[in-house]
Amino acid sequence: MSGRGGGPRPKAVNFPELVERFGTEEKAREYVEAIRWPEGTKCPRDGKNATWIGTRRVWECNSCGYQFTVRVGSVLQDSKLPLWKWFVAVFLMVESKKGISANQIRRMTGTTYKTAWFLTHRIRQAMVEAQGFRRLTGTVEMDATYIGGKPRFRRKGKTGWDRKTKTPVLGAVERGGEIRLRVEKRGESMGTYGQLLAKHIDPATAHLYTDSAPVFEGLKLTDADTQHEKVDHHADEWVRGDVHTNTVESVWSLFKRSIVGSYHHMSVKHMDSYLDEFEWRFNNRHNDYLFRDTIKALIASDTMTYKKLIERPA
């Protein structure tokens, strides 16, 4: 680990390195301190220098006397969980392509399920707060998928699945770039796609590709130079030159495999949080410093209470 001036840069850290570098509370604390205060520890109240008090394991401001730890003012503040267990959870979440369940983290960190579930949601909150905002551009694909189980009871002779029992998720992906996903409880409509288009897609986008679903008919583009083309899946047309929605459909495939293979069950109430985690991991797929950047996101994230989490509107 490098000194504070340059900041720690564990590139492409693997699990044995994680244990070796951060396997104790002291090592984990020093790493977070080096990320948060690369120029030396500063008081969160007045920004003045501070001194480490080893007997109490806290920092004390040289000016106002305020005593604090590296957790103060972040999502880590109210957690009694050791920092190294936070590190293990972060590593597992960012390195598991199809996600990892709270039950698996419970088993690997030796916590209760409630602690592991709350832990993962606080990490997801940090991820979404660190995303920033950038509109998609270039060539963009838009589509929707439906998440959820099949109806428990069916009328005789009825086959397939009923969209009323599933939750629609809208998505847009920039080819070679990032994705934007969101739960849309109102279902698919020209209006919901229009909102996604206006918020997340740059007017300078050259190409917008969709399928031939009726909701895309008459979709109002934000710029006259954007070319909207479609593929007709009902006519077994999947690719026409560069025109296809295979990229966004591969995103749906990966997300659904994460539900089947890792989470097994996902409530509609918290689905947006799982989508946020998926976005963070996908958008940072080429980031060699994803572990470090997720720790930085934790430091910058606001606190979250368990009560606030479970009282989210359904």
Side-chain angles (χ1 to χ4, degrees), residues 37 41-50 61-62 64 66 68:
W37 299 302
T41 305
K42 304 294 182 182
C43 175
R45 289 187 175 179
D46 60 18
K48 303 297 182 180
N49 291 334
C61 178
N62 296 338
C64 68
Y66 175 57
F68 59 93

Side-chain angles (χ1 to χ4, degrees), residues 26-164:
E26 182 178 3
K27 289 180 179 179
R29 174 183 57 78
E30 289 177 351
Y31 180 69
V32 178
E33 289 172 350
I35 289 179
R36 183 168 186 176
W37 299 302
E39 304 301 326
T41 305
K42 304 294 182 182
C43 175
R45 289 187 175 179
D46 60 18
K48 303 297 182 180
N49 291 334
T51 300
W52 175 251
I53 302 177
T55 56
R56 301 194 61 187
R57 309 190 70 77
V58 296
W59 291 94
E60 183 174 273
C61 178
N62 296 338
S63 176
C64 68
Y66 175 57
Q67 293 185 349
F68 59 93
T69 70
V70 72
R71 298 176 183 239
V72 68
S74 74
V75 74
L76 303 166
Q77 179 172 316
D78 297 325
S79 173
K80 296 180 181 179
L81 198 67
L83 285 175
W84 69 265
K85 290 192 177 185
W86 278 87
F87 278 32
V88 170
V90 167
F91 177 85
L92 293 172
M93 290 177 71
V94 300
E95 293 296 334
S96 301
K97 191 173 182 181
K98 291 182 286 187
I100 188 165
S101 69
N103 242 330
Q104 184 65 30
I105 289 179
R106 171 190 66 81
R107 288 189 289 268
M108 298 184 74
T109 58
T111 62
T112 65
Y113 177 75
K114 178 179 177 181
T115 297
W117 184 79
F118 187 28
L119 171 64
T120 58
H121 274 289
R122 283 180 287 184
I123 294 172
R124 292 184 185 108
Q125 174 187 272
M127 289 173 173
V128 69
E129 291 181 4
Q131 280 277 21
F133 182 79
R134 185 187 73 82
R135 286 180 169 172
L136 307 181
T137 189
T139 297
V140 176
E141 301 174 22
M142 289 179 63
D143 194 24
T145 192
Y146 286 79
I147 306 294
K150 294 181 180 180
R152 187 174 180 182
F153 301 105
R154 296 177 180 275
R155 295 194 301 272
K156 186 176 180 180
K158 187 176 180 180
T159 60
W161 51 269
D162 185 354
R163 289 189 174 187
K164 293 180 182 179

Side-chain angles (χ1 to χ4, degrees), residues 259-297:
I259 298 175
V260 173
S262 298
Y263 304 124
H264 306 304
H265 171 76
M266 183 181 297
S267 68
V268 177
K269 179 177 181 178
H270 297 291
M271 190 178 295
D272 264 324
S273 294
Y274 290 91
L275 290 169
D276 292 337
E277 176 194 348
F278 186 85
E279 266 194 47
W280 175 257
R281 195 164 46 241
F282 185 93
N283 293 344
N284 285 279
R285 63 195 181 278
H286 303 306
N287 182 2
D288 288 330
Y289 303 102
L290 181 54
F291 174 79
R292 178 204 62 187
D293 289 347
T294 308
I295 298 297
K296 289 174 68 175

Side-chain angles (χ1 to χ4, degrees), residues 237-250:
E237 181 186 43
W238 308 101
V239 180
R240 188 178 67 254
D242 288 334
V243 183
H244 61 78
T245 57
N246 293 348
T247 314
V248 66
E249 286 169 8
S250 69

